[in-house]
């Protein structure tokens, strides 16, 4: 026996439209009424059973809360960032203000000092010192300008230009190797700034040395500047007079000899050290004996090495010698022409090798 099963067919749209609605279940009497929720809905507070717009209200409140929180957080951040930036700006402005004030004060002080210096320099005369004013030991000066006593000793004597050695002599007539004290010789010179427009910066003049030549405003030249051999040099032509210490005539007459071609030259070093004299002052000096240490005209010692030399050459009639009687020059003396044909010299210096 065969069993046939028929499956129910799916309802058609027409059937769904014509079918009655499903029954609504009855409300249980034990179910209490839900309290009114304060989401801002008037219908719930008025007792209406309509469901509140949970989604719309909650979303709106949450959106407002998020915006407020975001605004508060953003405000705090902005206030924090703005406050830090303002502090940095104030600090930079304060530093710039301090630097500006310091710069202005420094410039004002510098301009005031420069103005005072210019006023002081303009109030002083700019004329070159005269020999009398330069000779004062209390006067300020810058080397090589000033009045100086150049203390030296007679180092060597050379008589190569004459046939008779007695006709060439050198003050003080004793060399250092014979007697270091008796060999002392001092030159008193005044060094002054040269007049404007001169080729050399300084000039030198002599004082009343009894044995040295007299000269005035001779130009000085700076040699080897910036080295250990730096020195100021000058030279001039002079006449040298010698009184022989031995007879040069057959009748032993007193005599006097003249040299017309003698070169006087000197080098004043500005760095090389001197070794003479060992004592502050020498016992023998060519300076006037009336001068004393308290005399304001006494010049200062030259602080460095010095070399002074007199040089004469040979030739016909060199030297020209004459007999003298009671200081009066008489007949000439015939001498042989200059010895070896070399040079005569007197060398002075203030250091030993």
């Amino acid at each position: 026996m065969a069993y046939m099963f028929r499956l129910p067919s799916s309802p058609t749209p027409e059937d769904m439209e014509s079918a009655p609605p499903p029954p609504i279940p009855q409300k249980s009497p034990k179910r209490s009424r839900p309290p009114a929720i304060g989401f801002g809905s008037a219908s719930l507070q008025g007792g209406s059973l309509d469901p509140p717009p949970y989604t719309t209200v909650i979303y709106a409140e949450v959106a407002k809360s998020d915006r407020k929180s975001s605004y508060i957080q953003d405000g705090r951040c902005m206030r924090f960032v703005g406050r830090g930036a303002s502090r940095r700006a104030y600090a930079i402005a304060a530093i710039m203000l301090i630097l500006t004030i310091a710069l202005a004060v420094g410039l004002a002080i510098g301009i005031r000092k420069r103005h005072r210096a210019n006023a002081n320099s303009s109030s002083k005369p700019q004329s070159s010192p005269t020999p009398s004013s330069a000779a004062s030991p209390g006067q300020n000066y810058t080397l090589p300008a000033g009045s100086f006593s150049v203390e030296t000793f007679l180092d060597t004597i050379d008589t190569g230009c004459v046939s008779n050695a007695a006709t060439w002599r050198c003050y003080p007539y004793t060399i250092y190797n014979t007697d270091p004290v008796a060999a002392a010789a001092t030159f008193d010179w005044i060094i002054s700034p040269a007049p404007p427009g001169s080729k050399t910066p300084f000039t030198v003049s002599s004082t009343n040395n009894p044995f040295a030549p007299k000269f005035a405003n001779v130009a000085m030249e700076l040699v080897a500047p910036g080295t250990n051999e730096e020195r100021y040099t000058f030279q001039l032509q002079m006449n040298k007079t010698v009184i022989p210490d031995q007879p040069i005539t057959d009748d032993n007459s007193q005599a006097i000899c003249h040299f017309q071609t003698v070169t006087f030259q000197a080098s004043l070093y500005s760095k090389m050290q001197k070794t003479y004299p060992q004592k502050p002052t020498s016992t023998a000096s060519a300076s006037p004996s009336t001068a004393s240490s308290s005399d304001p005209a006494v010049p200062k010692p030259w602080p460095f090495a010095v070399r002074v030399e007199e040089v004469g050459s040979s030739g016909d009639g060199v030297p020209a010698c004459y007999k003298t009687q009671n200081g009066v020059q008489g007949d000439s003396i015939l001498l042989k022409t200059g010895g070896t044909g070399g040079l005569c010299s007197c060398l002075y210096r203030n250091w030993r090798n």
Side-chain angles (χ1 to χ4, degrees):
M1 180 174 181
Y3 291 95
M4 299 293 292
F5 293 95
R6 183 178 180 181
L7 297 175
S9 60
S10 299
T12 64
E14 291 80 4
D15 295 337
M16 294 178 65
E17 292 179 358
S18 60
I24 299 174
Q26 295 294 324
K27 178 180 178 182
S28 173
K30 296 181 179 182
R31 182 178 179 182
S32 61
R33 185 177 178 178
I37 301 175
F39 287 99
S41 174
S43 60
L44 289 179
Q45 297 177 359
S48 174
L49 296 179
D50 294 336
Y54 294 106
T55 302
T56 304
V57 173
I58 292 175
Y59 285 172
E61 294 295 330
V62 170
K64 290 180 181 180
S65 175
D66 290 344
R67 285 197 303 270
K68 184 176 181 181
S69 175
S70 176
Y71 170 78
I72 293 175
Q73 293 178 0
D74 292 346
R76 291 178 180 176
C77 180
M78 290 301 293
R79 285 196 299 271
F80 176 77
V81 174
R83 186 179 303 171
S86 299
R87 290 178 179 176
R88 288 195 296 271
Y90 291 152
I92 294 174
I95 293 173
M96 294 297 294
L97 180 60
I98 292 172
L99 292 177
T100 303
I101 294 174
L103 180 60
V105 172
L107 290 176
I109 294 175
I111 294 174
R112 184 177 300 175
K113 289 183 177 179
R114 182 178 299 178
H115 177 71
R116 291 179 179 177
N118 293 336
N120 293 335
S121 61
S122 62
S123 62
K124 296 181 180 178
Q126 301 297 327
S127 59
S128 300
T130 60
S132 59
S133 61
S136 174
Q139 181 178 0
N140 294 329
Y141 62 88
T142 302
L143 289 178
S147 179
F148 300 98
S149 286
V150 182
E151 299 174 299
T152 67
F153 57 83
L154 178 59
D155 187 42
T156 57
I157 301 174
D158 194 345
T159 59
C161 70
V162 295
S163 58
N164 190 330
T167 60
W168 179 270
R169 302 182 69 196
C170 302
Y171 180 89
Y173 318 116
T174 302
I175 64 174
Y176 182 90
N177 289 339
T178 302
D179 188 340
V181 176
T186 301
F187 300 86
D188 291 336
W189 293 332
I190 299 171
I191 302 176
S192 305
S198 301
K199 296 181 179 180
T200 57
F202 298 97
T203 62
V204 58
S205 302
S206 66
T207 60
N208 295 325
N209 293 111
F211 74 98
K214 295 178 175 60
F215 55 88
N217 299 324
V218 177
M220 303 184 73
E221 179 182 0
L222 178 61
V223 179
T227 68
N228 292 333
E229 298 292 325
E230 181 181 274
R231 59 194 182 274
Y232 292 89
T233 65
F234 68 93
Q235 69 175 22
L236 55 99
Q237 298 298 314
M238 58 173 283
N239 297 328
K240 181 177 177 68
T241 300
V242 175
I243 298 177
D245 60 343
Q246 298 177 3
I248 60 174
T249 63
D250 295 338
D251 58 359
N252 295 329
S253 299
Q254 293 182 348
I256 187 171
C257 298
H258 304 283
F259 293 83
Q260 305 293 331
T261 57
V262 175
T263 300
F264 183 87
Q265 54 194 16
S267 296
L268 288 80
Y269 292 84
S270 59
K271 295 183 179 180
M272 183 186 298
Q273 298 300 315
K274 65 179 182 178
T275 61
Y276 182 91
Q278 296 180 355
K279 296 181 180 180
T281 58
S282 58
T283 57
S285 175
S287 300
S289 58
T290 56
S292 63
S293 59
S294 61
D295 190 342
V298 174
K300 298 175 175 65
W302 180 260
F304 300 104
V306 175
R307 178 189 173 96
V308 182
E309 192 171 14
E310 296 177 3
V311 180
S313 58
S314 61
D316 294 338
V318 177
C321 297
Y322 302 88
K323 293 181 180 181
T324 61
Q325 186 174 6
N326 298 325
V328 178
Q329 181 172 301
D331 298 335
S332 69
I333 300 172
L334 182 61
L335 298 174
K336 294 180 180 179
T337 304
T340 61
L343 298 176
C344 295
S345 68
C346 302
L347 176 60
Y348 303 87
R349 58 180 182 171
N350 63 355
W351 83 93
R352 299 286 291 178
N353 294 333

